[in-house]
Amino acid sequence: MNVSGEFTVKAPRNAVFDALRDARSFVRFVDGVQDLKEIDSTHYEAVFETKVAYMKFRFNVTVEIIRIKPPGEIEAKIEGTPLGIVGRLTATSRTTLSKAGDETKVVYLVESTIAGKLGSIGQPVLRAKAREMEKIFAARLREAFAEKVG
């Protein structure tokens, strides 16, 4: 399943890049991430908890930054193993930042494969969840920069 989108943040591209590159900062924007552990500068582990349709899922997640090109690109490989059920989540996330006047345009593409019980839910439901997560992420990122300005 591929999910893509874009949004803008009223902040300089370098500042947005730094916020997204810093794992401790980044997790504040993602709903449901807990217990972040930095293994090294490109490897992280966390617990991700979310509700999709009527089911609640918890994943042990590993993240590897596989490509980084400041201040415009970050690519990461994500693997998740759900706790309590059989299945697996694997994804590659590509984020590109570009100047848009006095704002930064954030464009992302997530290519994912979801197996097991979560995969059986169906793509329309999973896409709706991804859009909901994007809205929360974008709002939190915008708020973080609004606080710095205001």
Side-chain angles (χ1 to χ4, degrees):
M1 180 176 85
N2 294 344
V3 178
S4 61
E6 64 181 60
F7 58 90
T8 58
V9 178
K10 194 166 185 72
R13 184 169 73 153
N14 286 341
V16 174
F17 180 86
D18 290 345
L20 297 179
R21 175 61 184 103
D22 176 16
R24 300 249 174 245
S25 173
F26 181 83
V27 298
R28 295 181 309 146
F29 312 130
V30 182
D31 192 38
V33 176
Q34 310 162 11
D35 302 328
L36 176 72
K37 293 180 185 83
E38 183 175 350
I39 307 306
D40 59 40
S41 64
T42 60
H43 293 84
Y44 304 90
E45 292 179 349
V47 174
F48 173 66
E49 186 173 299
T50 191
K51 187 174 181 183
V52 179
Y54 58 90
M55 294 184 284
K56 192 174 190 177
F57 295 93
R58 272 177 72 86
F59 291 86
N60 281 330
V61 178
T62 60
V63 177
E64 176 185 6
I65 306 298
I66 55 177
R67 190 166 62 93
I68 191 159
K69 190 174 171 185
E73 294 179 51
I74 301 172
E75 186 172 351
K77 181 178 166 186
I78 302 108
E79 294 191 9
T81 305
L83 302 171
I85 60 169
V86 176
R88 185 143 193 90
L89 161 71
T90 57
T92 301
S93 167
R94 284 183 211 89
T95 305
T96 306
L97 307 176
S98 59
K99 287 181 77 169
D102 64 344
E103 297 185 325
T104 298
K105 182 164 102 173
V106 179
V107 178
Y108 68 90
L109 170 64
V110 178
E111 298 172 350
S112 62
T113 303
I114 303 168
K117 191 173 185 180
L118 184 58
S120 70
I121 291 174
Q123 286 196 16
V125 173
L126 294 173
R127 282 187 197 286
K129 179 64 180 181
R131 292 286 177 227
E132 175 188 323
M133 289 180 69
E134 174 197 339
K135 287 179 186 172
I136 292 168
F137 183 91
R140 288 179 178 175
L141 184 59
R142 287 182 185 123
E143 282 175 23
F145 285 101
E147 291 169 6
K148 290 178 182 183
V149 172

